[in-house]
Amino acid sequence: MTSKTSVQDSVTKSDKTVLPPVADKIPYEIKTHEEVRIDDYYWMRDDSRSDPKVIEHLNLENRYADHMLSDSKDLQDKIFEEINSRLKKDDSTVPVFQRGYFYYRQFNGDMEYPVYIRKNAENGQEEILLDGNKMAEGKEYFAIGRYSISTNNNILAYSTDTISRRLYTIEFRDLTTDKMLDDKLENTSGQIVWANDNQTVFYIKKDLQTLLGYQVYRHKIGTPQSEDVLVYEEKDNTFYTGIGKTKDDALIYVYHSHTQKKGASYIDANKPESELIPFYPIEDGHEYSFQKNGDWFYVRTNWNAKNFRIMKTKIEDSQNRNKWQEVIAHNPDVFIQDYEVLKDYLVLAEKEQGKAQIRRVSLSTLDSNLLEFDDPVFVAMFTGNVNLETNKVRLFYSSMTTPSTYYDYDLDKQTRELLKQDEVLGGFHPSNYQSERISARSRDGVDIPVSIVYRKDKFKKDGTNPLYQYAYGSYGSSTEPYFSSSMLSLLDRGFVFVRAHVRGGQELGRHWYEDGKMFNKKNTFNDFIDVTKTLVEQKYGDPKRIFASGGSAGGLLIGAVINQAPELYLGVGAHVPFVDVVTTMLDESIPLTTNEFNEWGNPKNKDSYDYMLSYSPYDQVKKQDYPNILVTTGLHDSQVQYFEPAKWVAKLRDYKTDSNRLIFKTNMDAGHGGSSGRFRRNKERALEYAFFSSLAGINE
């Protein structure tokens, strides 16, 4: 068959217009449950990412995208400069104190990557641990994964990824001599945990096909990786595996994470060659995690507690759940999202009626109270709490009008100290902006929380403002109402920005997640559409200028929404979108598939197959008008493979009956997170913002 792609990538003599690439159709049969689906674009899958035909097609799509976006190039550049100009070029993170040193990251000038620094608490001497800019020289993509320092402060272990497949290489440097060690650990998850002998590290090795981290190894400094000892191997490929260490350095733990069951095992950090011991056996439907405080282990558990409760146990009783003691009872109206255990206090991050709150609990009396904050709707979460022997908890705080803020909250005095608030340059003032929280009624009678922000002097609430709606709605990941300095470029142009807290997250507790997964997944899509309709009815947005965007599982949401209600949106953005749901979930060699059977369903089961097929964006493409669509992906994406959006775009080109724009951009050097570097990654944001703005008739 003659390739049509090269033929179509030509400039006609009459109008100088580049025509969109038209991909070859090569029918491929997929047989499931005695049914046959024909996938005309299955050939686009190339796990090696080297097939000349596939690479040519992606390059042609990129050239077509550049041509179609050339009319907004000036606006893209302007917005890109705006976003970057709001960032403070010389900046550093709030220092975290550990074992006699303050640790922080620093950005300098126009440098793309941070410099990792530690400062001696006694003499104030600074020491550069890692300079991401020097390390990234000559590399199209670069990322530092994790770093960890031995308990005697002398050896630095760090992990890097230069491909964007989240396959990290761990290396070591002796900080007393500034010499690199010969040790090199390949194909890891990037996590590193030191034992207390300062000679042993634990790490996770990944399967090179599925990219699943499933083997925990023990490495001895000075020995080759081939001699490393396998400590734990996860045989069930529906689990994720992670590692960590208790704040008192007493235990190294391995956590076992599944969508419906979670738990952990541990090793004595002073005896790294000892056996791994389960804290409590893994059980269907039971999720728990623990934090150690002296002889007590505080356990967040959903045992007889849908929204979780806190219990405590001694290590000798950990495997006998009947001996666990309740500390914080289950409250069906309050979801315990996270927790920190400090010397004398338990601190809870909670959600009540979809709103965040932080609760202080005295471990001696169990008296509790809520911490006070400035905004009615905000996000607050724990950060940098690495020390047990303290009664100060560090919090990250933000709202849709409040930039990222860091507090130390003294739990004894019940006072807070402002450590830092990100400075937003360019004349930003929060009083120019207004945020709101409203509810939208979904078609099944459920009220959906909606967070809204706009610039006061640009908003009329008369149905004339362009509106940008975002959501995610999967994995129980809540869409938080945090501040976005990049979004100011749209707010200042009159856009209303909306975060829809659709089912599939956990904004309203565990049931909110369960009502948006598996056989309830369509609630996520219906919620999003019904939020849009409510916003139009209440005149928050111009019905002719509504835009929507989502990435990854949020890209699935966008794909399903425009199959179902394309007429509502003038334009959409779908970024690294998970759109070929059934075919991907049938293939256990694809990264993440097996871990997500309890999120989407296993299509090898007929009931799941039928339900998933009924909403899969790729399978449900119709001969109908679609909005203007911008699709982005990364060739090396390890989460959602590039061929999903590539196939989806090819099918949309064939089926859609409109003349609207369908633009597909592949970053040939990046993966799931897009470009590396603090400035370069803003190009993707500027591209979408300019795309939406120009469609809205705003070209300046």
Side-chain angles (χ1 to χ4, degrees):
M1 182 180 292
T2 303
S3 173
K4 299 177 183 176
T5 314
S6 300
V7 175
Q8 293 287 13
D9 185 59
S10 59
V11 181
T12 63
K13 293 181 180 179
S14 57
D15 61 5
K16 303 294 184 184
T17 300
V18 175
L19 298 176
V22 177
D24 285 347
K25 286 185 179 181
I26 304 176
Y28 180 87
E29 290 189 355
I30 303 174
K31 297 179 181 178
T32 317
H33 304 298
E34 300 182 353
E35 295 182 15
V36 176
R37 288 180 299 131
I38 303 299
D39 187 346
D40 290 327
Y41 306 107
Y42 191 87
W43 64 267
M44 291 185 180
R45 175 177 176 177
D46 170 33
D47 291 349
S48 72
R49 288 157 171 77
S50 61
D51 185 317
K53 181 177 180 179
V54 172
I55 299 300
E56 179 194 23
H57 178 74
L58 297 177
N59 283 330
L60 290 175
E61 283 281 9
N62 280 344
R63 278 152 55 187
Y64 174 71
D66 290 342
H67 173 79
M68 294 301 292
L69 293 168
S70 60
D71 56 353
S72 65
K73 184 64 169 60
D74 290 344
L75 185 57
Q76 290 177 50
D77 292 342
K78 184 176 182 180
I79 293 176
F80 177 63
E81 290 302 320
E82 285 176 5
I83 295 173
N84 287 340
S85 69
R86 296 189 192 101
L87 299 176
K88 189 177 179 181
K89 290 189 174 183
D90 297 321
D91 201 5
S92 63
T93 59
V94 177
V96 173
F97 180 78
Q98 190 172 34
R99 300 191 196 100
Y101 289 85
F102 291 99
Y103 292 87
Y104 49 98
R105 288 178 299 139
Q106 194 172 81
F107 287 98
N108 300 302
D110 293 323
M111 296 298 183
E112 292 279 1
Y113 300 95
V115 177
Y116 292 80
I117 300 171
R118 73 174 180 179
K119 182 168 69 174
N120 190 302
E122 289 187 0
N123 58 30
Q125 183 175 348
E126 287 190 333
E127 179 182 5
I128 293 177
L129 300 174
L130 299 166
D131 186 338
N133 303 287
K134 290 182 179 178
M135 297 165 72
E137 287 178 359
K139 300 177 178 66
E140 290 294 334
Y141 178 89
F142 177 77
I144 294 172
R146 306 284 184 92
Y147 78 93
S148 181
I149 293 178
S150 58
T151 53
N152 63 4
N153 293 323
N154 290 339
I155 304 176
L156 167 68
Y158 63 92
S159 59
T160 57
D161 174 14
T162 58
I163 300 176
S164 192
R165 291 286 283 168
R166 302 189 184 183
L167 281 169
Y168 292 89
T169 298
I170 298 173
E171 297 179 85
F172 300 83
R173 190 167 84 242
D174 187 328
L175 296 175
T176 65
T177 63
D178 201 31
K179 301 290 187 184
M180 293 296 297
L181 304 184
D182 293 333
D183 305 64
K184 186 173 288 191
L185 310 178
E186 305 279 3
N187 301 321
T188 82
S189 71
Q191 290 183 290
I192 313 153
V193 176
W194 283 92
N196 294 340
D197 64 358
N198 304 299
Q199 287 295 306
T200 305
V201 294
F202 291 80
Y203 68 95
I204 297 172
K205 202 167 185 179
K206 284 192 167 186
D207 182 289
L208 295 182
Q209 176 63 44
T210 65
L211 301 184
L212 182 65
Y214 72 112
Q215 293 176 319
V216 179
Y217 276 91
R218 184 176 70 236
H219 174 75
K220 192 82 168 179
I221 296 297
T223 64
Q225 187 176 14
S226 60
E227 294 182 8
D228 291 353
V229 177
L230 180 64
V231 174
Y232 175 80
E233 181 171 358
E234 181 55 72
K235 304 290 188 181
D236 185 340
N237 60 7
T238 64
F239 274 84
Y240 292 105
T241 302
I243 52 177
K245 196 176 187 183
T246 55
K247 290 176 185 174
D248 62 0
D249 287 329
L251 299 178
I252 293 165
Y253 56 84
V254 177
Y255 54 88
H256 320 289
S257 179
H258 179 283
T259 53
Q260 292 185 323
K261 46 193 171 185
K262 293 179 174 66
S265 307
Y266 63 90
I267 291 175
D268 187 333
N270 292 310
K271 301 175 182 177
E273 296 183 4
S274 58
E275 293 295 316
L276 194 68
I277 302 171
F279 183 84
Y280 183 82
I282 302 294
E283 285 183 343
D284 286 342
H286 184 208
E287 301 178 29
Y288 74 85
S289 60
F290 66 77
Q291 292 191 35
K292 184 175 181 295
N293 186 1
D295 293 333
W296 288 103
F297 288 77
Y298 289 82
V299 185
R300 175 181 176 266
T301 172
N302 68 344
W303 175 42
N304 295 330
K306 193 180 191 69
N307 276 337
F308 291 86
R309 58 176 166 164
I310 305 296
M311 305 186 78
K312 69 177 183 178
T313 181
K314 296 287 183 71
I315 194 67
E316 59 266 24
D317 296 326
S318 72
Q319 296 192 26
N320 184 351
R321 200 166 55 186
N322 291 324
K323 291 189 176 181
W324 293 9
Q325 301 175 30
E326 186 166 82
V327 179
I328 302 295
H330 176 243
N331 183 339
D333 297 323
V334 177
F335 173 57
I336 299 177
Q337 190 171 27
D338 198 4
Y339 72 124
E340 285 284 2
V341 180
L342 304 175
K343 182 176 65 173
D344 298 320
Y345 293 95
L346 172 67
V347 191
L348 305 176
E350 302 175 334
K351 290 277 192 181
E352 185 170 11
Q353 295 181 336
K355 296 182 180 181
Q357 57 193 32
I358 301 293
R359 183 176 301 277
R360 163 191 173 274
V361 182
S362 167
L363 289 177
S364 59
T365 66
L366 297 187
D367 290 340
S368 73
N369 61 281
L370 296 178
L371 277 58
E372 294 184 359
F373 295 99
D374 301 326
D375 299 285
V377 179
F378 57 88
V379 54
M381 61 183 66
F382 305 120
T383 181
N385 294 289
V386 299
N387 299 301
L388 182 65
E389 295 298 316
T390 179
N391 282 333
K392 288 184 178 181
V393 64
R394 182 162 295 176
L395 298 171
F396 164 85
Y397 174 87
S398 179
S399 76
M400 294 183 80
T401 58
T402 305
S404 298
T405 306
Y406 298 85
Y407 292 110
D408 268 352
Y409 196 98
D410 189 313
L411 298 166
D412 291 330
K413 300 176 182 178
Q414 298 197 56
T415 57
R416 71 182 185 192
E417 177 188 2
L418 174 64
L419 302 176
K420 180 186 178 183
Q421 184 172 89
D422 282 358
E423 187 176 352
V424 181
L425 306 180
F428 166 77
H429 198 286
S431 63
N432 292 333
Y433 303 88
Q434 178 70 46
S435 66
E436 297 183 28
R437 172 66 69 91
I438 68 168
S439 290
R441 181 64 56 90
S442 192
R443 64 197 66 182
D444 60 354
V446 175
D447 287 332
I448 313 302
V450 182
S451 296
I452 302 170
V453 66
Y454 48 80
R455 180 166 174 138
K456 293 177 184 178
D457 60 355
K458 299 282 187 177
F459 180 61
K460 302 175 183 177
K461 203 175 182 181
D462 61 356
T464 61
N465 285 84
L467 184 145
Y468 176 121
Q469 182 175 323
Y470 170 85
Y472 188 71
S474 291
Y475 305 110
S477 178
S478 297
T479 301
E480 303 288 3
Y482 60 84
F483 180 80
S484 169
S485 65
S486 64
M487 185 54 64
L488 296 175
S489 287
L490 288 186
L491 299 183
D492 291 349
R493 287 173 169 81
F495 274 76
V496 174
F497 176 52
V498 173
R499 286 192 175 98
H501 306 288
V502 297
R503 281 173 283 186
Q506 290 187 117
E507 288 88 340
L508 294 181
R510 191 66 173 185
H511 80 282
W512 205 247
Y513 173 36
E514 294 174 352
D515 284 350
K517 64 182 288 195
M518 295 290 287
F519 294 102
N520 296 319
K521 190 64 219 170
K522 290 181 183 178
N523 286 337
T524 306
F525 318 139
N526 295 341
D527 289 353
F528 191 91
I529 291 167
D530 294 340
V531 165
T532 301
K533 291 178 178 179
T534 296
L535 293 167
V536 170
E537 289 168 2
Q538 297 188 14
K539 299 189 180 302
Y540 281 97
D542 179 350
K544 295 182 179 179
R545 294 193 296 169
I546 304 294
F547 302 90
S549 182
S552 195
L556 161 67
L557 166 63
I558 296 300
V561 161
I562 62 173
N563 280 336
Q564 185 177 334
E567 72 284 354
L568 294 179
Y569 307 95
L570 176 58
V572 301
H575 308 294
V576 292
F578 173 45
V579 285
D580 192 11
V581 180
V582 176
T583 304
T584 290
M585 294 302 295
L586 280 168
D587 188 344
E588 296 186 12
S589 72
I590 292 178
L592 305 187
T593 292
T594 55
N595 307 81
E596 302 190 357
F597 285 150
N598 288 293
E599 179 72 27
W600 317 107
N602 185 345
K604 292 176 182 176
N605 300 322
K606 184 66 164 61
D607 54 351
S608 290
Y609 172 83
D610 289 340
Y611 188 77
M612 296 162 72
L613 191 64
S614 72
Y615 69 75
S616 172
Y618 182 61
D619 294 284
Q620 294 302 320
V621 170
K622 302 176 180 68
K623 288 190 178 296
Q624 63 179 9
D625 287 359
Y626 280 91
N628 296 278
I629 304 171
L630 172 65
V631 183
T632 62
T633 192
L635 180 63
H636 300 285
D637 195 332
S638 60
Q639 310 300 105
V640 178
Q641 308 297 300
Y642 76 90
F643 45 82
E644 289 200 40
K647 290 164 52 179
W648 183 49
V649 167
K651 190 171 182 180
L652 281 167
R653 288 206 192 286
D654 186 39
Y655 275 64
K656 74 190 195 79
T657 54
D658 57 84
S659 58
N660 290 329
R661 294 187 175 195
L662 173 54
I663 295 170
F664 180 39
K665 282 282 285 185
T666 301
N667 187 326
M668 305 300 280
D669 301 308
H672 200 62
S675 297
S676 59
R678 62 169 173 160
F679 295 120
R680 282 195 297 177
R681 66 168 54 99
N682 288 328
K683 280 193 174 295
E684 283 94 343
R685 294 190 181 98
L687 176 65
E688 181 182 80
Y689 294 176
F691 181 65
F692 287 171
S693 293
S694 60
L695 288 171
I698 303 170
N699 296 303
E700 296 183 354

